[in-house]
Amino acid sequence: MIKKALVLSALLAFSAVPAQADPRQDILDQLAVEASAADANFSGFSAARGEKLFRTKFGTGKPATPSCTSCHTESPRNVGETRAGKAIDPVAVSVNPSRFTDPAKVAKWFRRNCKSVIGRECTALEKGDYITFMMTQ
Amino acid sequence: MRNLIKLTTALSASAALVVGIFAVGGTLAQSQQAPQPQTKSADQTGQPAQTGLVQIGEVLDGQALFKTECSDCHFAYPANFLPSASWQAILSNLSDHFGEDASLDPDVASAIEGYLVTHSSNPAGLDVNNPPLRITGLSWFRRQHSEGEVGYMKRTRNVKTMSDCLACHVG
């Protein structure tokens, strides 16, 4: 048992270092797999489409939250604010390098915020575009 | 500026304050020194441990989850500010939470509900079929927050909503 565990961790130490070093890229890679499964013509994520998603006033979700900018403000580099008045750290990766690095957190907030703002879950394409936009900010 | 009460310690330390809060409702049905939820180790039940979630043994730690999952959008309101029926109503409808989607994994939501219910305060005479959903709507709250000082603080600190306890209090 102990021996097995040691071998496993030795393997991880060698093989998994490049992948673990960039968890944001892992998340994007996974989204790209899902996006190409949904659309055979998928040819990569777009920061421009991500910016459009970020700024669009949808009006199809919950009335208090028409847009991502309702809480994250017009600039991803700004500190945002929840409806209950709590500060939200900037979402631009340049300002906040820990953004979009925890898969469970990313999944949870896309689910919630896309439902609140758009009234449905976001597609893998939309999620990848959004993260790609934030990486340019 | 007066030093305002520190909400969490004031409440856990002072049963009198909590009695005061529900003075209109009558006596407290539950003790403020409610025991921590019992947790078992994996050995005792033989069930496999879940991964990726805050847990004690294989039992999800409702208190720890409450502190992390209920504090992203606002202060994690102390459990004894609402009756158990209120927490149950709130936790069973997180996808439509005060005009927002705050949905959680069902296992996580029920662990949090377990913690909140165990530490809630239940005044006699509460209509359990129609429990209050807001602390800020309770009559003690409105009484305590009707004075000039509150209005002054709201203006000078640019407070958006009375639900933002930490704009004026220390957590």
Side-chain angles (χ1 to χ4, degrees), chain A residues 4-136:
Chain A
K4 238 188 210 158
L6 282 176
V7 173
L8 190 64
S9 59
L11 272 176
L12 280 171
F14 288 110
S15 66
V17 160
Q20 283 187 340
D22 195 352
R24 192 182 305 111
Q25 192 56 47
D26 291 349
I27 292 172
L28 277 176
D29 290 347
Q30 177 57 35
L31 288 170
V33 170
E34 290 169 33
S36 23
D39 176 6
N41 294 324
F42 169 73
S43 63
F45 295 122
S46 145
R49 281 196 309 255
E51 175 161 21
K52 184 150 178 272
L53 173 70
F54 179 68
R55 298 194 190 286
T56 300
K57 307 272 180 286
F58 286 92
T60 48
K62 299 189 191 285
T65 53
S67 166
C68 306
T69 60
S70 308
C71 299
H72 295 302
T73 82
E74 290 295 328
S75 167
R77 292 189 204 85
N78 286 348
V79 172
E81 195 183 30
T82 69
R83 285 175 51 235
K86 189 174 167 161
I88 306 175
D89 287 340
V91 286
V93 171
S94 64
V95 185
N96 195 349
S98 68
R99 281 297 179 196
F100 316 107
T101 53
D102 172 351
K105 177 175 178 177
V106 169
K108 177 176 72 181
W109 287 100
F110 270 129
R111 184 188 69 234
R112 286 176 169 173
N113 294 346
C114 292
K115 280 205 187 145
S116 291
V117 172
I118 315 180
R120 59 161 173 83
E121 296 215 19
C122 281
T123 62
L125 183 71
E126 288 169 323
K127 294 177 198 174
D129 289 346
Y130 185 86
I131 295 175
T132 303
F133 169 58
M134 293 308 170
M135 288 166 71
T136 69

Side-chain angles (χ1 to χ4, degrees), chain B residues 52-64:
Chain B
L53 297 164
V54 183
Q55 53 189 297
I56 298 177
E58 91 293 357
V59 180
L60 292 180
D61 181 348
Q63 179 169 18

Side-chain angles (χ1 to χ4, degrees), chain B residues 35-155:
Chain B
Q36 295 286 315
Q38 288 294 308
T39 51
K40 298 180 200 132
S41 80
D43 306 335
Q44 284 170 298
T45 63
Q47 282 172 19
Q50 298 173 45
T51 51
L53 297 164
V54 183
Q55 53 189 297
I56 298 177
E58 91 293 357
V59 180
L60 292 180
D61 181 348
Q63 179 169 18
L65 285 167
F66 163 69
K67 293 222 165 100
T68 53
E69 297 293 345
C70 301
S71 64
D72 281 319
C73 302
H74 49 64
F75 171 54
Y77 305 113
N80 54 3
F81 275 34
L82 284 173
S84 47
S86 304
W87 293 124
Q88 283 158 341
I90 289 170
L91 270 293
S92 64
N93 193 22
L94 285 176
S95 59
D96 190 7
H97 181 75
F98 301 91
E100 255 170 64
D101 188 314
S103 58
L104 283 171
D105 185 282
D107 290 355
V108 175
S110 67
I112 293 173
E113 181 177 322
Y115 163 74
L116 288 170
V117 164
T118 315
H119 295 83
S120 59
S121 299
N122 293 280
L126 173 81
D127 178 0
V128 288
N129 295 316
N130 194 16
L133 298 181
R134 282 186 180 272
I135 300 158
T136 53
L138 300 174
S139 51
W140 74 263
F141 185 94
R142 282 184 287 167
R143 244 188 348 268
Q144 281 286 347
H145 295 87
S146 63
E147 279 172 27
E149 185 175 359
V150 173
Y152 174 77
M153 289 176 86
K154 269 195 98 165
R155 282 191 309 279

